[in-house]
Amino acid sequence: MQFTSSPLCFIRTSYTLVVCAAYESSTVGSNVLAHCHLTGAASFYTITVMVLRRDSVSDRIRMHLSDLQEQKGLMLSHLCSHLTTALYILWITMAQVAGQEDREKTTALKDLLSRIDLDELMKKDEPPFTFPKTLEEFEYVFNEHGQLRHIKTGEPFVFNAREDLHRWNQKRYEALGEIITQYVYELLEKKCNMTKALLPVDATEDEPTSFIYLSQDALSNPSKLLVLIQGSGVVRAGQWARRLIINQDLDSGTQIPFITRAMEEGYGVMVLNPNENYLEMEKPVKSSPLPSPTEPSDEPAEKRERKDDKEGKKKREFYEKYRNPQKETETERIPIRENGSSEEHVLYVWDHFVSKAAAKNVFIMAHSYGGLSFVELMNQREMQVKNRVCAVALTDSAHNIWLQETSKGTQDWMQQHCCNWVSSSEPLDTPLDPMLPDCPRVSAGTERHELTSWMSFISIFRFFSEVLEAKEGEEAEETSNTVTTRSSSLKNKHQDL
């Protein structure tokens, strides 16, 4: 066959093949998406193959072949002039049919891909969210230094117990955290000899409750009372930071050293629980609402039901295949009366416990959000706090006197009676520039927020002692002046007589 050259001889053919396949095995489920695109424009060919494997995020792109070019040949450049009319019409018809099929396939693919969430696909092979209930079952124990160690290996806690399963690892960490909370409660009761006091004090049997811990002399100690308030989050009574308890030791992460030291120095102690604000209950399963019989429809009821069943079955099959992660239990929170937030809790404990305690000198230590709750207490009970509280130690406090609209009188009082140990690279107790006109700021000797309480431990008790000594000195001087004045008055009366 002879070919002649013509500038109009240009043929562009395009065909797209889309293959979407999924297969599963007993151990690793895999989803493969292959997209092969063959394009002919004159003599240019491109082939791309992409394989997406779900079982390893780092191994998603498996094959990519592209840009295979061939030299232009005279046969393709001259082909147009020798096509017969019949073949040309046939080619047009086939192209139209193929184009329609391609559009349908593309639409179906887009619909499928829009339903697939890679994050959800990665959850499909997660182990069950069933975790041990005790430290021993977790195979961990606290050693003589208060460090959490594996029973068999002696190694610290490992967060990534399973690779590429972050959600499962996080759930495991949270389950361990709940065990740690109960463990700290046991320490408060057995090691520190403290008792629970339920909140609200007049709670009925069927309403949710919270609690605080009291030393044996918390309400009866006539001299000193120490009130401990932690920050926000998952930490409960007796904890400063769960992360420190698990990854460092009990001394740095719990309030136990502060409680023990306070008792040794003659303080009564109250341990608040500002994050126990609600009772979490599992939501009842809701049945799907039936369609209203009064809904207008042009289809017969029987046909509509068959259609709905068919569509429902398709959806169930789809989600069974592509989106079948473990579903977390849906819960609802029932707030605890008058203790629904950290601020409410601190105010409630002040009104029902601290204000009724016999202690002449009340000391408060508050970490992070606990400092904000204390300032809110001052806004609500300013005169009571000024009359009862001797000193306040804050550690990296989250309070803000401007946003909390604190009075000038409160700010002046805080300047005289509060000190805030903040995270800083400076040595411990180094004075820092005040950011707001509220209370002095000094370095906690660490840049880690959660460590500020433990690192300031010695400085805080020294601060309390100095403030108390100064107050007792002033009171002794006032008493002496009163006695002297009274003695002088009696002497003058005697001389007059």
Side-chain angles (χ1 to χ4, degrees):
M1 182 180 293
Q2 186 177 1
F3 299 93
T4 60
S5 177
S6 172
L8 298 178
C9 294
F10 177 82
I11 295 179
R12 178 180 178 86
T13 61
S14 178
Y15 185 72
T16 301
L17 172 64
V18 179
V19 180
C20 185
Y23 67 90
E24 298 181 8
S25 67
S26 58
T27 56
V28 178
S30 300
N31 290 273
V32 179
L33 173 65
H35 183 192
C36 305
H37 189 186
L38 173 61
T39 302
S43 58
F44 176 76
Y45 292 82
T46 302
I47 300 175
T48 303
V49 178
M50 184 179 296
V51 179
L52 179 59
R53 292 178 56 87
R54 177 183 56 75
D55 55 307
S56 176
V57 177
S58 62
D59 192 27
R60 292 187 175 185
I61 299 179
R62 305 293 299 169
M63 187 184 300
H64 187 194
L65 305 175
S66 64
D67 296 336
L68 299 176
Q69 299 185 358
E70 297 182 357
Q71 296 296 325
K72 182 187 296 184
L74 291 176
M75 182 163 37
L76 279 178
S77 66
H78 297 162
L79 181 60
C80 188
S81 61
H82 296 276
L83 287 175
T84 65
T85 302
L87 290 176
Y88 183 76
I89 294 174
L90 178 61
W91 177 81
I92 291 294
T93 303
M94 292 178 63
Q96 289 176 347
V97 173
Q100 180 64 25
E101 292 178 355
D102 288 346
R103 282 193 294 273
E104 292 176 356
K105 291 178 181 178
T106 302
T107 301
L109 177 64
K110 287 181 178 179
D111 179 66
L112 177 61
L113 293 180
S114 67
R115 297 167 181 258
I116 295 177
D117 186 335
L118 292 179
D119 290 335
E120 296 292 335
L121 286 174
M122 292 177 64
K123 298 173 186 176
K124 197 172 183 184
D125 290 322
E126 280 181 336
F129 290 156
T130 304
F131 302 102
K133 301 299 183 183
T134 65
L135 278 178
E136 290 73 17
E137 291 176 2
F138 253 105
E139 296 188 335
Y140 280 96
V141 67
F142 285 100
N143 62 19
E144 64 275 14
H145 304 294
Q147 301 167 325
L148 188 66
R149 293 292 182 265
H150 195 274
I151 293 175
K152 296 179 180 178
T153 65
E155 295 296 320
F157 176 76
V158 177
F159 179 85
N160 289 318
R162 302 206 178 189
E163 293 294 331
D164 298 329
L165 289 175
H166 178 79
R167 191 175 75 141
W168 186 88
N169 289 328
Q170 179 63 32
K171 291 295 180 183
R172 172 176 172 267
Y173 177 82
E174 292 171 3
L176 176 62
E178 293 301 316
I179 296 174
I180 295 296
T181 295
Q182 297 302 320
Y183 183 83
V184 174
Y185 289 161
E186 291 181 12
L187 291 178
L188 292 176
E189 295 171 8
K190 296 178 180 179
K191 182 177 180 179
C192 302
N193 197 28
M194 304 187 81
T195 57
K196 279 183 181 180
L198 292 182
L199 311 178
V201 293
D202 59 346
T204 60
E205 292 184 0
D206 58 347
E207 76 171 305
T209 59
S210 178
F211 56 88
I212 60 174
Y213 276 98
L214 306 175
S215 65
Q216 298 299 317
D217 62 342
L219 298 175
S220 60
N221 189 314
S223 178
K224 298 183 291 186
L225 172 66
L226 175 61
V227 180
L228 299 176
I229 312 172
Q230 68 265 53
S232 61
V234 296
V235 289
R236 295 296 187 262
Q239 301 181 50
W240 295 126
R242 176 185 289 180
R243 181 190 308 176
L244 292 177
I245 298 173
I246 294 177
N247 298 317
Q248 192 157 314
D249 55 35
L250 289 167
D251 282 350
S252 62
T254 72
Q255 298 171 351
I256 305 294
F258 290 83
I259 297 169
T260 304
R261 173 73 175 268
M263 290 179 173
E264 290 173 355
E265 295 190 6
Y267 291 80
V269 182
M270 286 188 187
V271 176
L272 272 58
N273 202 8
N275 300 316
E276 190 81 19
N277 307 129
Y278 52 83
L279 174 66
E280 196 162 15
M281 299 184 65
E282 184 175 344
K283 280 186 178 180
V285 179
K286 294 182 179 180
S287 57
S288 302
L290 296 174
S292 173
T294 58
E295 290 180 359
S297 175
D298 295 334
E299 295 181 335
E302 214 174 291
K303 183 177 180 182
R304 187 168 62 249
E305 288 177 3
R306 286 198 302 269
K307 182 179 179 183
D308 291 342
D309 290 343
K310 188 176 181 181
E311 291 179 354
K313 184 178 179 181
K314 284 183 178 179
K315 288 181 180 179
R316 286 194 299 272
E317 289 177 351
F318 174 82
Y319 281 97
E320 185 70 24
K321 186 175 183 180
Y322 292 104
R323 293 181 61 119
N324 191 25
Q326 297 181 76
K327 293 181 180 179
E328 299 180 40
T329 304
E330 292 188 7
T331 59
E332 60 179 343
R333 295 178 174 181
I334 303 174
I336 297 172
R337 176 164 53 90
E338 298 182 81
N339 287 268
S341 67
S342 176
E343 296 92 326
E344 285 186 9
H345 175 80
V346 172
L347 180 62
Y348 187 88
V349 173
W350 175 272
D351 289 342
H352 292 82
F353 293 91
V354 181
S355 65
K356 297 179 180 180
K360 184 180 178 181
N361 304 294
V362 176
F363 296 84
I364 295 177
M365 180 184 171
H367 173 64
S368 190
Y369 198 87
L372 183 148
S373 298
F374 164 74
V375 172
E376 190 60 30
L377 171 66
M378 284 213 69
N379 289 343
Q380 301 293 328
R381 303 287 188 269
E382 182 176 347
M383 294 311 300
Q384 291 184 32
V385 172
K386 289 180 178 179
N387 291 334
R388 296 294 305 276
V389 176
C390 186
V392 180
L394 306 173
T395 54
D396 236 1
S397 175
H399 75 275
N400 187 304
I401 58 172
W402 290 343
L403 294 178
Q404 294 181 259
E405 299 180 352
T406 305
S407 69
K408 181 66 166 59
T410 295
Q411 296 175 29
D412 294 340
W413 185 89
M414 292 179 67
Q415 283 279 358
Q416 299 298 321
H417 297 84
C418 299
C419 185
N420 189 11
W421 279 263
V422 301
S423 52
S424 169
S425 59
E426 296 294 328
L428 179 65
D429 294 330
T430 301
L432 302 174
D433 294 333
M435 299 180 66
L436 296 173
D438 48 9
C439 61
R441 298 168 70 246
V442 297
S443 172
T446 179
E447 295 183 84
R448 293 175 60 185
H449 168 74
E450 66 273 16
L451 265 175
T452 51
S453 296
W454 173 237
M455 295 297 291
S456 310
F457 173 74
I458 296 176
S459 299
I460 288 171
F461 278 96
R462 185 190 304 124
F463 169 65
F464 287 162
S465 297
E466 291 173 353
V467 171
L468 183 58
E469 288 176 7
K471 181 183 178 182
E472 290 175 344
E474 291 175 0
E475 290 175 349
E477 186 177 348
E478 289 178 2
T479 302
S480 177
N481 290 338
T482 301
V483 172
T484 302
T485 302
R486 185 178 302 172
S487 177
S488 299
S489 176
L490 292 173
K491 183 178 181 181
N492 290 337
K493 287 183 179 179
H494 179 71
Q495 289 176 349
D496 291 341
L497 290 173

